[in-house]
Amino acid sequence: MRDVRFGVLGPITAWHGAAPVEVGPGKCLRVLGVLLLHANRRVDREQIIQAAWGAQPPRSAVNLVQKYVGDVRRSLELDDGALQTVGTGYLLRVAPGQLDSDRFAARLAQARETRGDGDLAAARQHLAEAMTLWRGPAFSGIDTPAAVTERARLEEYRLGALEDLAELDLLRGEHAPAVAELSRLADEHPYRERARELLMLALYRSGRQGDALAVFHDMQRLLAEELGADPGPGLRRVHAQILRADPALDLVTATREQRPVAQLPADIPDFTGRAGPLVELLDLLQRRGVVVVAGAPGTGKSALAVRALHEARDAFPDGQLYLDLAGTSAVPRDPAMMLAELLRALGVTDAVMPPGLHERAALYRSRLADRRMLVLLDDAAGAQQVRPLLPPSGGCAVVVTSRHRLADLAGAEHLELDVLSHEDARDLLARIAGAERVEREPEQADAIVRLCGRLPLALRITGAKLANRRAWTLQVLRERLEDESKRLRELRVGDLDVRANFDLSLRLLPEEAVRAFRLLGLLGAETLPAWVIGPLLGAPAGDEVLDALVDACLVRLVTTDRAGQPRYRLHDLLRAYAAEGAQEHYPAEDRRAAVERVLAAWLALAEQARDLCYPSLFRPTPGRSPRWVPDYTVVDPIAWFDAERGTLLRAIGLAAEWGMAGLAWELAVAAVPYYDHRSLYQDWNRSHQVALEAVTAAGDTHGEAALLQGLGQVHIYLDEMAEAREDLHRCVQLYRAIGDRRGEGLALASLGTVHRVRGELDEALATDKEALEHVVAAGHRQAEAQLRTAIGIIGFDQGAGDAGPWIEEGLRIARSLGDRHRQAVILRTLSRYHLDTGETAAALHDLTEALTIFSEISDERCGAYTDQRLGAIYAELGDGPRADSALQRAAHVFRANGDRSNEAACWQRLGELEHELGETAAARHHLGLAVELWRAVGLPERAEKVEAMLVAVG
């Protein structure tokens, strides 16, 4: 490729050397512009079509894009390595320095470096050269969302550079040119407070004190009328200095001792809440050290710091220093220049100002060595920017606010701000919007607080909107905030803008951390374990990615769960912002792939946990989705499931939303043993219904059958036999249609249970024998053991003489497999056989052995059923103490699991026994509990029967 340069700082153009290139017609230039917007990244053909034609492209758009790309390649003489075809898109390779926006950024960096070295003339030269690169609005003529965002970003850099130019003119004593440029800038951008602050200083130094004060009053009136806000701390500080003719404003003054410096910004009149953090910060200030107040964007760090310093200033009689470090701007302020500003405030003239950073820092520390002063360093970019500005230890106290945890700032105390409590958030809304309006619509106010995520900045914006729209009800604003896709757009008024505020934090992060943050927004509102970052990015991710997000206060460490996993969460507004960014910056296929990898990782862990609970019981699922192996291993399966319970439900819903039906049903089925263990029937039913809707829409027969089998089982647990029979009949048909004998056998086994519970013993026996044929053919020995036991007990109920051998064969198979859970279940069934054949001692032995196994494998629910049966036998034997112990244990487990029917049965049997033994008070108590529970579960006839017993007890 020849010496090609590209221009985006204005209309899209290109040059060969110094000569402009005629690229082609307007559409051709738009194609080039989109390629440059995504330089060195693949651009999908659809993005190019949208940029060229908008929402209504011609039918020949695909062919035209190919033509225009070819025209670009020919006119610029680009080879295949420079402009590549990648799949259905294109990639334009641009080297450093080829793009005018890159050269602009390089000039800004050079200006900052030379200014830090004290060479103001060179710094100004670099900035002036940077400004010559601009020919108009960046990416002019391209209006895609990505282009609009990039245009706004570059424009912010341009305006900041103009302000830096003016500031350098002021530092060099060239006030007249600065007045002209700053006046134009203030007129074109009336809300830019830094431009007005510099203009006031330029006018004051030009002998125009009245004009300088008029600038402030114009800004004050503009903000009050349009935003309901006050000027920021910088403007207020310069205004106060002009009013008192502060010598620190003069370019050159005699070195002299000054009265105490009072640069602290005005306190915020509607400061609300933060009682705990305020007390903590005041206590730390009394220790005369450095305190870092960190927090997510919009949490009110500066407001808290200003309030605390105002309350503490009497203990620091030598005054207060204030600096805005501009840490979230495109180019954070240079420490050398800020030290010069601090030294001027302390009486050092420009004539004797040391030239370098280290000399200025030394003089600054000397000036503060014997003083008791407060120093507020607002909006720090990092510890490196802060260190030169710290006074010597002793009499001074420093508060640093930052969006980053400054862990590398040695000796500093740290105070991290979260969002407001609900009560404080509501109070803040009331103070800004009006207490009467909030009291008049309390439910709407609570909803607005919730939708703002209790974020102070968001609440200030909503409050300001309401204050300036008196005719609005709170209901109107609530409805506008309800749509998450439009919420960030609503959270903007004047220069207060939640999205723009978030942008400032994001642009300071490494690209990999930015990508992780945006993709995290796709995963919903649940707390997330650290391992999700790896599959989200599609590569093993080091802790540094997550650490960068945590240190930037964009992701919050919430807790460490029972499984030992640190869990993280995005604030609701940050999550909406992240998801919006993912949709804007990444193609749909990339977003889908990221979500699929995370869901596949959750499935791998869920199956790992399931297999730890029930080893060798489950087979691989045929036709499963591709796996992602997470960088995490399950150790305690129940603790892991407990920790991920809500997240797994969300993951199933997420899979359904993204049309990943296979992952949805596999996740739901993998969690069934856990739901069964914890008796979480509502979660079980909900997860399966969500997944069932997805597989039905996708035509996934295998998934539908598996889910219907699970739903049939949970219906059985809930005594919903009609629903269970319907689901299981459909399940059998589906498995039969796809030729899955194992699945058909298991479904038939569950259907046999339905028949048995309904008293349909002939149907139950026939169904179970058919199921047995299928599972034996499929080699499913666990199910064979279960079915042989069921066939034996049904036969026994029908008077068959061979029931015992059927059950004992089932027990033998379970023991040979080492399946202790199934062994215990069969022992419990065998106890019934022994009891009904008059072998009470054998029945007690069976139940005691089963209870021991359930205890060893931590299966409380099955243990409770066993205790319930033990208690009933002991009651029949008149053994009060053992019956009481077993029934009490069972009842408490049933209560913990929400099984009120079995709890009622336990209390009823215990009350009956106590009545028989003459323990009247205890019998009344337990029978009374049974009555309440039978009524609560909708069985009044059982309640009436127990009430009759209560009458007999007296």
Side-chain angles (χ1 to χ4, degrees):
M1 174 172 56
R2 288 175 54 192
D3 181 21
V4 179
R5 291 183 297 114
F6 300 103
V8 297
L9 301 181
I12 304 301
T13 190
W15 301 270
H16 276 314
V21 177
E22 185 66 34
V23 177
K27 291 290 192 295
C28 207
L29 286 171
R30 288 190 184 185
V31 170
L32 175 58
V34 175
L35 293 172
L36 290 171
L37 179 63
H38 302 279
N40 299 311
R41 290 179 291 164
R42 176 183 172 275
V43 186
D44 192 77
R45 185 171 57 207
E46 294 302 318
Q47 292 174 268
I48 299 176
I49 291 173
Q50 181 188 9
W53 290 281
Q56 296 181 321
R59 292 183 179 179
S60 59
V62 172
N63 292 332
L64 287 172
V65 166
Q66 293 174 342
K67 175 186 179 303
Y68 293 144
V69 170
D71 290 345
V72 168
R73 184 180 278 116
R74 283 189 297 275
S75 63
L76 296 176
E77 300 178 20
L78 302 177
D79 58 28
D80 290 341
L83 180 50
Q84 297 177 334
T85 300
V86 183
T88 59
Y90 302 92
L91 186 148
L92 176 61
R93 297 197 179 279
V94 177
Q98 278 189 284
L99 201 57
D100 58 358
S101 58
D102 290 344
R103 296 197 299 278
F104 173 70
R107 293 287 191 278
L108 294 188
Q110 289 172 325
R112 178 183 177 188
E113 183 178 350
T114 52
R115 180 171 172 169
D117 293 336
D119 190 345
L120 302 186
R124 193 189 189 290
Q125 179 63 30
H126 288 310
L127 285 175
E129 291 173 0
M131 297 312 301
T132 63
L133 297 169
W134 284 82
R135 298 168 289 104
F139 290 97
S140 179
I142 301 177
D143 296 317
T144 64
V148 171
T149 299
E150 182 65 7
R151 185 180 301 126
R153 184 182 75 87
L154 291 169
E155 177 67 5
E156 181 63 29
Y157 285 176
R158 186 184 74 85
L159 295 175
L162 288 173
E163 290 168 345
D164 288 346
L165 266 172
E167 186 176 34
L168 286 169
D169 285 341
L170 291 177
L171 290 172
R172 299 166 68 234
E174 298 176 4
H175 305 135
V179 168
E181 180 59 28
L182 289 167
S183 297
R184 183 187 62 79
L185 195 57
D187 287 341
E188 293 177 357
H189 303 278
Y191 293 109
R192 292 190 72 86
E193 295 197 18
R194 186 183 176 213
R196 299 227 183 191
E197 180 184 336
L198 292 170
L199 178 57
M200 290 171 66
L201 183 59
L203 290 167
Y204 178 78
R205 288 182 177 176
S206 300
R208 299 166 60 182
Q209 176 177 324
D211 290 338
L213 293 173
V215 170
F216 176 84
H217 293 303
D218 288 345
M219 187 64 169
Q220 186 179 47
R221 182 170 55 255
L222 177 69
L223 292 173
E225 291 176 354
E226 298 197 12
L227 307 180
D230 294 320
L235 275 172
R236 294 198 301 271
R237 172 174 53 80
V238 174
H239 177 250
Q241 287 178 297
I242 291 173
L243 288 176
R244 66 173 183 266
D246 191 337
L249 295 179
D250 297 336
L251 180 62
V252 179
T253 63
T255 303
R256 61 191 180 278
E257 287 297 319
Q258 297 177 301
R259 58 191 171 185
V261 180
Q263 294 185 336
L264 197 62
D267 197 4
I268 298 172
D270 55 16
F271 182 87
T272 304
R274 299 296 194 197
L278 181 59
V279 169
E280 184 177 354
L281 182 51
L282 288 170
D283 179 61
L284 291 170
L285 287 175
Q286 294 305 313
R287 303 179 194 176
R288 305 291 200 273
V290 179
V291 185
V292 177
V293 180
T299 49
K301 302 176 289 295
S302 299
L304 174 67
V306 169
R307 168 57 61 93
L309 267 63
H310 271 284
E311 292 195 11
R313 63 183 180 181
D314 289 345
F316 298 85
D318 294 323
Q320 316 97 39
L321 293 168
Y322 169 80
L323 276 176
D324 180 357
L325 276 59
T328 51
S329 67
V331 182
R333 297 187 68 193
D334 179 65
M337 302 305 295
M338 291 188 287
L339 279 168
E341 186 176 330
L342 291 170
L343 287 169
R344 291 188 195 100
L346 294 169
V348 177
T349 68
D350 284 358
V352 295
M353 185 70 67
L357 171 65
H358 299 298
E359 294 85 353
R360 290 178 184 180
L363 180 57
Y364 169 67
R365 291 191 294 271
S366 297
R367 283 299 180 109
L368 294 184
D370 298 319
R371 299 191 186 191
R372 288 181 294 165
M373 299 188 74
L374 289 168
V375 181
L376 175 54
L377 304 175
D378 200 17
D379 189 21
Q384 186 176 5
Q385 188 190 29
V386 170
R387 288 190 192 99
L389 309 176
L390 297 179
S393 58
C396 296
V398 183
V399 175
V400 183
T401 71
S402 179
R403 299 187 182 198
H404 298 267
R405 290 183 177 88
L406 306 185
D408 52 342
L409 193 60
E413 300 282 353
H414 291 80
L415 177 62
E416 186 172 349
L417 283 192
D418 197 359
V419 295
L420 294 168
S421 68
H422 182 84
E423 294 74 17
D424 287 345
R426 183 186 168 105
D427 287 347
L428 178 58
L429 181 66
R431 294 191 69 170
I432 300 172
E436 290 183 3
R437 297 173 77 181
V438 169
E439 291 170 3
R440 191 162 55 244
E441 297 181 78
E443 292 183 4
Q444 309 305 328
D446 288 340
I448 290 171
V449 165
R450 175 179 54 79
L451 292 167
C452 288
R454 310 197 310 276
L455 188 72
L457 174 62
L459 289 162
R460 287 194 175 278
I461 291 171
T462 54
K465 278 195 169 185
L466 289 169
N468 285 284
R469 295 163 176 82
R470 307 302 299 183
W472 273 15
T473 62
L474 269 64
Q475 173 71 22
V476 170
L477 183 57
R478 174 190 177 169
E479 290 174 354
R480 294 173 71 124
L481 292 171
E482 288 281 3
D483 185 347
E484 186 174 287
S485 66
K486 299 178 181 178
R487 191 174 304 156
L488 291 174
R489 194 183 313 158
E490 288 293 333
L491 292 175
R492 176 181 180 181
V493 57
D495 277 353
L496 296 177
D497 185 343
V498 167
R499 182 190 281 111
N501 204 268
F502 291 168
D503 285 342
L504 295 175
S505 289
L506 206 61
R507 73 186 186 193
L508 301 175
L509 290 174
E511 179 56 36
E512 191 175 38
V514 172
R515 181 175 175 80
F517 170 75
R518 287 173 175 153
L519 293 174
L520 277 170
L522 303 175
L523 300 183
E526 297 293 331
T527 61
L528 300 168
W531 59 258
V532 301
I533 297 295
L536 203 61
L537 294 176
D543 292 338
E544 62 273 7
V545 173
L546 192 54
D547 288 345
L549 294 174
V550 172
D551 288 342
C553 298
L554 292 171
V555 171
R556 185 173 181 82
L557 174 61
V558 179
T559 186
T560 298
D561 61 35
R562 286 187 55 191
Q565 303 175 110
R567 300 192 76 84
Y568 299 84
R569 184 185 179 92
L570 274 70
H571 181 275
D572 286 346
L573 292 178
L574 279 168
R575 178 174 52 79
Y577 169 75
E580 181 183 275
Q583 186 167 2
E584 179 181 344
H585 289 86
Y586 310 130
E589 59 269 24
D590 288 358
R591 302 196 304 273
R592 180 182 177 84
V595 172
E596 186 171 14
R597 288 192 299 268
V598 174
L599 293 175
W602 257 311
L603 176 59
L605 291 174
E607 291 182 334
Q608 188 183 127
R610 177 202 66 189
D611 293 343
L612 284 171
C613 291
Y614 301 101
S616 304
L617 188 57
F618 296 90
R619 63 174 180 172
T621 306
R624 71 159 57 256
S625 305
R627 292 290 190 91
W628 177 275
V629 179
D631 185 19
Y632 180 80
T633 301
V634 176
V635 177
D636 183 336
I638 298 301
W640 184 85
F641 270 123
D642 284 341
E644 298 291 350
R645 176 183 169 186
T647 315
L648 281 173
L649 279 174
R650 171 58 187 157
I652 294 165
L654 196 64
E657 291 168 17
W658 283 83
M660 301 173 190
L663 282 167
W665 76 258
E666 289 175 35
L667 279 163
V669 170
V672 163
Y674 168 69
Y675 294 149
D676 194 4
H677 178 81
R678 288 287 197 216
S679 301
L680 299 172
Y681 303 134
Q682 185 175 355
D683 286 9
W684 186 339
N685 185 68
R686 180 182 168 200
S687 67
H688 279 52
Q689 292 290 357
V690 170
L692 184 61
E693 186 175 341
V695 298
T696 303
D700 185 339
T701 304
H702 189 272
E704 184 180 357
L707 292 166
L708 286 171
Q709 185 172 343
L711 285 169
Q713 187 62 48
V714 81
H715 285 314
I716 291 172
Y717 284 151
L718 296 172
D719 292 326
E720 298 166 350
M721 295 303 160
E723 293 87 344
R725 183 161 59 179
E726 180 181 349
D727 284 345
L728 290 168
H729 268 303
R730 171 67 176 156
C731 176
V732 169
Q733 292 168 0
L734 290 170
Y735 276 132
R736 190 168 291 159
I738 62 178
D740 186 341
R741 295 198 72 182
R742 182 181 190 274
E744 184 181 350
L746 293 175
L748 284 167
S750 295
L751 194 56
T753 301
V754 173
H755 287 309
R756 181 170 53 81
V757 172
R758 292 169 63 91
E760 301 161 354
L761 297 186
D762 290 341
E763 292 89 341
L765 188 61
T767 303
D768 280 352
K769 286 187 175 181
E770 184 183 357
L772 181 62
E773 291 180 14
H774 286 295
V775 300
V776 168
H780 194 337
R781 298 282 282 165
Q782 288 90 351
E784 180 186 350
Q786 176 183 322
L787 281 164
R788 289 187 179 279
T789 304
I791 290 169
I793 202 67
I794 293 170
F796 178 73
D797 288 340
Q798 291 181 314
D802 61 348
W806 276 96
I807 300 172
E808 287 165 359
E809 176 62 13
L811 181 60
R812 186 194 65 76
I813 293 172
R815 282 181 170 150
S816 70
L817 293 171
D819 187 344
R820 303 193 72 212
H821 182 271
R822 197 166 304 278
Q823 179 183 337
V825 170
I826 295 173
L827 281 167
R828 196 169 60 206
T829 303
L830 188 60
S831 73
R832 182 187 157 198
Y833 169 77
H834 283 144
L835 186 66
D836 288 349
T837 57
E839 302 173 73
T840 304
L844 288 172
H845 181 272
D846 295 336
L847 290 171
T848 302
E849 186 180 351
L851 188 62
T852 300
I853 294 173
F854 286 134
S855 176
E856 289 173 353
I857 65 175
S858 302
D859 191 333
E860 284 188 338
R861 184 172 58 83
C862 284
Y865 291 137
T866 308
D867 261 328
Q868 185 178 16
R869 191 167 293 177
L870 266 174
I873 295 176
Y874 284 130
E876 290 296 325
L877 296 173
D879 190 337
R882 287 180 175 170
D884 179 86
S885 176
L887 290 170
Q888 291 260 16
R889 283 196 307 268
H892 288 304
V893 172
F894 290 139
R895 176 182 297 173
N897 286 288
D899 188 344
R900 293 182 292 179
S901 294
N902 277 303
E903 183 188 353
C906 288
W907 295 133
Q908 178 179 335
R909 188 65 191 93
L910 187 55
E912 291 168 351
L913 174 62
E914 289 161 343
H915 175 45
E916 293 166 8
L917 297 174
E919 299 171 7
T920 304
R924 270 199 302 266
H925 173 66
H926 290 124
L927 291 173
L929 288 176
V931 169
E932 293 176 9
L933 287 166
W934 286 130
R935 291 197 182 282
V937 297
L939 293 172
E941 66 283 355
R942 295 195 181 185
E944 290 168 5
K945 179 180 177 181
V946 180
E947 282 178 331
M949 294 181 201
L950 274 170
V951 173
V953 171

